[in-house]
């Protein structure tokens, strides 16, 4: 039969495992960024300062490039099989 101390130990273990799982999920989700934040990082990493005249041009160009990279090409339409 289950003793109360064994039940408490299992409950604590499950609570710790669940807490660890939640922490890992939270860290994983914070790693996801936006196209804008990636473009900002790109422009600042090459030396542009936020607010400078060249920064805005760099930022817009990087956002456009990244959006093109992540968009689906228009020529990917399904074609009927010859079989």
């Amino acid at each position: 039969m289950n003793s109360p101390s064994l039940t408490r130990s299992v409950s604590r273990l499950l609570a710790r495992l669940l807490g660890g799982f939640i922490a890992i999920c939270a860290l994983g989700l914070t790693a996801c960024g936006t196209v804008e934040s990636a473009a900002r990082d790109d422009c600042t990493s090459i030396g542009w300062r936020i607010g400078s005249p060249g920064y805005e041009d760099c930022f817009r160009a990087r956002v456009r490039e990244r959006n093109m990279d992540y968009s689906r090409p228009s020529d990917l339409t399904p074609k009927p099989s010859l079989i």
Side-chain angles (χ1 to χ4, degrees), residues 7-23:
T7 304
R8 257 183 270 133
S9 297
V10 170
S11 295
R12 284 185 199 143
L13 176 65
L14 288 175
R16 285 184 180 176
L17 288 174
L18 181 62
F21 179 72
I22 291 171

Side-chain angles (χ1 to χ4, degrees), residues 52-78:
S52 66
Y55 172 81
E56 290 301 320
D57 294 334
C58 175
F59 179 77
R60 278 189 241 115
R62 295 294 175 145
V63 168
R64 192 174 330 125
E65 288 172 6
R66 286 183 177 272
N67 283 331
M68 286 174 38
D69 287 344
Y70 296 129
S71 67
R72 183 175 176 188
S74 60
D75 64 343
L76 287 181
T77 57

Side-chain angles (χ1 to χ4, degrees), residues 7-50:
T7 304
R8 257 183 270 133
S9 297
V10 170
S11 295
R12 284 185 199 143
L13 176 65
L14 288 175
R16 285 184 180 176
L17 288 174
L18 181 62
F21 179 72
I22 291 171
I24 289 172
C25 288
L27 286 173
L29 289 175
T30 58
C32 299
T34 62
V35 169
E36 287 82 9
S37 66
R40 185 179 332 106
D41 292 343
D42 286 348
C43 293
T44 55
S45 71
I46 58 174
W48 290 109
R49 284 186 303 206
I50 295 175

